[in-house]
């Protein structure tokens, strides 16, 4: 197998790169490049494409939201996506280990970390605050994201019946205000159930107090929603059981790391598009679908002047593409060194955003039908946040023939969309821990680390399965995965471009891909992306409004907790910077600052065979250096490396 890979199998940009074996024998690599692309698509295309993007569209002016969304995609999303992929692929480390680029404290002769001879001066690994911030964000998102998946599991199991439980208003949990679309059809046909006698006036007048059976099923039966975020009530045991199922599934799919998850994504990343297409075809054939799609595409340009619209666009790009989560860095770290991550970043980013727009057509075609049936505006037929997927969609599914079958397919699609993202979130945390410890014992026990993180995530998610759980879920979604992502992304750009140096980074990419980054990306990385992110953050803070859920206003102490969650990931950066300055050698503050911002001595390609140019080792490697030496054919002293632009260079492979 190795012999075949050495005969010129292509891998990304460099034809001489072998694809049939792992380059990094210690960490492993993707089985093939399709696994990486599908995993990244599954990571980026998640639940947010279904219930977050359409919700942001109709809240921020329908089609008018497209303008700031695509501006953020072109000038921030795609450049940052490419930066994170190239960052992780070049260093072959997770979101903690990759930050050996800056800043590091050193242990040199005369210092407290001096190593005994004959070992040479080395840098002790310690990730900066940006890496910790990414881990905190991924932890928050991983906790509540799996709760959404567990709700999808609950609906999936509830669909295994002849009649969907949210189809009619004759259930014990329904209120007199309940009025369903199927109930109205029955009344038209003269077959009105006795339980609906008191609802006739609501069906005829479509009053503002009308609630659908799917909404009451969601709020009064599934969640048993309490009246306050502080009133936890009881833990919903069915949701708790589904939460356990979802974590078990995630763990089993990651039991062998990327080797096992890379096989699962062949199904989890492709099947959702089949279901979306089926729902789209059904949706556009419904009466009133054109009204919903028109509302989706018709811009309300006055919304463009609101900073919140631009803030939501930036947050959605970061949320959807997964920028600043650490997942992109982690997934790219398992690529082979010369893989064309520039090509991958374009493909994955466009696929993700096209899926968001496509899902919006599916959503609004159904919302248009519901609005036409009820005689109300499109904006008043859907709930906020996750309720859009668990209220609007379930009610629309009751209109389809053999509705339980369609419901099973739809919620199975939601489960797959969520799992694709959750795989990468869990792998991000596990890889960060394993890479940071880095010894042989933890590499052999990686499965137990994965199990430990999964158990911790399950325990931390239990409060979100209580009667007040949806309040906390939305609080975490609005604060833990919003402001902090913008701040971390901006600091990451500044750190790489201005502290490490843009020329150094451009040279690193050219050494890895065979060509430098295009001029557009160079300009965006250095000027455009950091500036846009900074000004959007300022405008968002100026026009900030406290979070609400339907008509419920969050109390001040809950909002304060939300801000603490947002700051908990950002505060890691200045705290670690101060810690770094105190531990760095230097007689003056300026000298300490210069030493703290220098890259680590072991920053660069992880494998010795890729360490060329300024990364070429000057001394023979020793076991104390921690460098991984790959066995090479003894008679191949130099291997020509040919880039995609036709240039060639010689790589010294002598050990």
């Amino acid at each position: 197998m190795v012999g075949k890979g050495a005969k010129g199998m292509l891998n990304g940009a460099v034809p001489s790169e072998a694809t049939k074996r792992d380059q990094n024998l210690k960490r492993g690599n993707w089985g093939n490049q399709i696994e990486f692309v599908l995993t990244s698509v599954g990571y980026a295309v998640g639940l947010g494409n279904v219930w977050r993007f359409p919700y942001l569209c109709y809240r921020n002016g329908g089609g008018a939201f497209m303008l700031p969304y695509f501006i953020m995609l072109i000038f921030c999303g795609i450049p940052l996506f490419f930066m994170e992929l190239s960052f992780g692929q070049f260093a072959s480390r997770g979101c903690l280990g990759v930050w050996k680029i800056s800043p590091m404290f050193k242990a040199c002769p005369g210092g407290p970390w001096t190593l005994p001879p004959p070992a040479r001066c080395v840098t002790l690994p310690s990730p900066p605050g940006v890496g910790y911030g990414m881990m905190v964000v991924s932890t928050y998102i991983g906790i509540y994201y799996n709760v959404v998946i567990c709700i999808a599991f609950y609906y999936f199991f509830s669909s295994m019946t002849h009649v969907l439980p949210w189809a009619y208003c004759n259930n014990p949990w329904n209120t007199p205000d309940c009025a369903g679309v199927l109930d109205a059809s029955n009344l038209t046909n003269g077959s009105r159930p006795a339980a609906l006698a008191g609802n006739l006036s609501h069906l005829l007048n479509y009053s503002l107090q009308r609630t659908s059976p799917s909404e009451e099923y969601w709020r009064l039966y599934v969640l048993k929603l309490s009246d306050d975020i502080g009133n936890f009530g009881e833990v919903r045991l069915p949701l708790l059981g589904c939460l356990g199922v979802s974590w078990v599934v995630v763990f089993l799919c990651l039991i062998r790391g990327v080797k096992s998850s890379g096989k699962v994504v062949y199904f989890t990343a492709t099947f959702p598009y089949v279901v979306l297409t089926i729902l789209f075809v059904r949706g556009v054939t419904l009466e009133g679908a054109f009204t919903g799609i028109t509302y989706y595409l018709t811009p309300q340009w006055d919304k463009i002047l609101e900073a919140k619209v631009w803030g939501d666009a930036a947050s959605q790009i970061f949320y959807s593409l997964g920028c600043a989560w650490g997942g992109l860095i982690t997934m790219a770290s398992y690529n082979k060194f010369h893989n064309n991550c520039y090509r991958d970043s374009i493909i994955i980013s466009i696929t993700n955003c096209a899926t968001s727009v496509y899902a919006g057509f599916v959503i609004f075609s159904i919302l248009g039908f519901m609005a036409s049936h009820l005689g109300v505006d499109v904006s008043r037929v859907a709930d906020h946040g996750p309720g859009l997927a668990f209220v609007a969609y379930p009610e629309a599914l009751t209109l389809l023939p053999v509705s339980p079958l369609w419901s099973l397919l739809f919620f199975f699609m939601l489960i797959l969309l969520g799992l694709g993202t959750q795989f990468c979130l869990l792998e991000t945390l596990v890889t960060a821990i394993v890479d940071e410890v880095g010894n042989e014992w933890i590499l052999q026990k990686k499965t137990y680390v994965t199990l430990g993180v999964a158990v911790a995530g399950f325990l931390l998610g239990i409060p979100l399965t209580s009667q007040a759980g949806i309040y906390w879920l939305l609080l975490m979604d609005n604060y833990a995965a919003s402001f902090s992502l913008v701040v971390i992304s901006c600091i990451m750009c500044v750190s790489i471009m201005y502290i490490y140096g843009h020329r150094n980074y451009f040279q690193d990419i050219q050494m890895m891909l065979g060509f430098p980054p295009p001029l557009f990306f160079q300009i965006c990385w250095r000027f455009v992306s950091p500036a846009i992110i900074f000004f959007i953050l300022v405008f968002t803070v100026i026009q900030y409004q406290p979070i609400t859920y339907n008509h419920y206003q969050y109390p001040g102490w809950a909002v304060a907790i939300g801000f603490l969650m947002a700051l908990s990931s950002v505060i890691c950066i200045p705290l670690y910077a101060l810690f770094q300055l105190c531990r760095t050698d230097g007689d003056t503050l300026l000298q300490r600052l210069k030493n703290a911002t220098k890259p680590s001595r072991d920053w660069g390609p992880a494998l010795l065979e890729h360490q060329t140019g300024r990364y070429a080792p000057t001394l023979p490697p020793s076991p104390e250096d921690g460098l991984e030496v790959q066995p090479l054919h003894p008679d191949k002293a130099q291997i020509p490396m040919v880039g995609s632009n036709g240039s060639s260079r010689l790589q010294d492979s002598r050990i």
Side-chain angles (χ1 to χ4, degrees), residues 5-224:
K7 290 183 180 180
M9 296 294 292
L10 297 181
N11 178 41
V14 181
S16 61
E17 196 70 46
T19 61
K20 293 295 186 178
R21 66 178 178 87
D22 286 347
Q23 286 184 335
N24 196 322
L25 300 180
K26 181 181 293 186
R27 298 178 81 250
N29 297 104
W30 296 103
N32 56 65
Q33 214 49 41
I34 296 179
E35 293 183 5
F36 166 70
V37 173
L38 289 179
T39 300
S40 299
V41 169
Y43 173 61
V45 178
L47 295 172
N49 297 78
V50 174
W51 64 260
R52 186 182 177 96
F53 179 81
Y55 160 64
L56 291 178
C57 270
Y58 85 76
R59 189 182 74 174
N60 292 304
F65 183 72
M66 297 291 185
L67 178 62
Y69 180 74
F70 283 108
I71 289 178
M72 293 301 121
L73 170 66
I74 294 172
F75 291 98
C76 290
I78 295 178
L80 290 176
F81 201 93
F82 179 33
M83 174 180 283
E84 292 198 31
L85 290 188
S86 59
F87 196 20
Q89 180 174 306
F90 181 80
S92 298
R93 297 181 177 93
C95 65
L96 288 185
V98 76
W99 283 100
K100 293 182 178 181
I101 191 174
S102 169
M104 299 294 293
F105 59 85
K106 296 187 175 182
C108 295
W113 299 285
T114 302
L115 297 179
R120 57 193 178 114
C121 172
V122 299
T123 303
L124 298 181
S126 181
V130 177
Y132 284 125
M134 289 180 173
M135 280 197 66
V136 173
V137 170
S138 293
T139 300
Y140 284 138
I141 298 175
I143 292 172
Y144 77 78
Y145 209 85
N146 226 17
V147 175
V148 180
I149 298 175
C150 89
I151 298 175
F153 267 112
Y154 182 86
Y155 272 78
F156 177 77
F157 295 138
S158 299
S159 301
M160 297 178 180
T161 180
H162 295 292
V163 179
L164 293 176
W166 57 83
Y168 298 99
C169 292
N170 56 356
N171 300 290
W173 59 81
N174 291 127
T175 66
D177 293 324
C178 179
V181 291
L182 290 181
D183 299 324
S185 300
N186 290 336
L187 288 172
T188 303
N189 297 331
S191 56
R192 176 166 54 92
L196 299 175
N199 291 338
L200 179 58
S201 61
H202 295 280
L203 290 170
L204 296 177
N205 298 327
Y206 300 119
S207 67
L208 295 177
Q209 296 182 354
R210 179 264 178 192
T211 57
S212 65
S214 62
E215 183 177 352
E216 293 195 350
Y217 179 78
W218 160 253
R219 301 182 62 179
L220 303 179
Y221 185 76
V222 177
L223 301 179
K224 289 189 176 180

Side-chain angles (χ1 to χ4, degrees), residues 489-561:
S489 296
C490 186
I491 294 177
M492 181 180 64
C493 281
V494 173
S495 300
I496 296 177
M497 291 294 104
Y498 295 98
I499 297 179
Y500 177 64
H502 64 277
R503 291 186 180 87
N504 291 331
Y505 195 68
F506 297 161
Q507 291 174 5
D508 292 343
I509 293 180
Q510 183 167 9
M511 183 179 72
M512 179 175 62
L513 301 183
F515 58 91
L519 180 62
F520 172 78
F521 288 91
Q522 297 183 22
I523 296 175
C524 286
W525 288 347
R526 295 184 61 190
F527 307 110
V528 181
S529 298
I532 291 179
I533 295 172
F534 175 75
F535 285 116
I536 290 221
L537 178 63
V538 172
F539 291 148
T540 304
V541 172
I542 292 176
Q543 296 195 5
Y544 165 77
Q545 293 181 355
I547 181 178
T548 60
Y549 177 58
N550 290 340
H551 300 293
Y552 175 75
Q553 186 76 34
Y554 278 66
W557 62 267
V559 175
I561 292 178

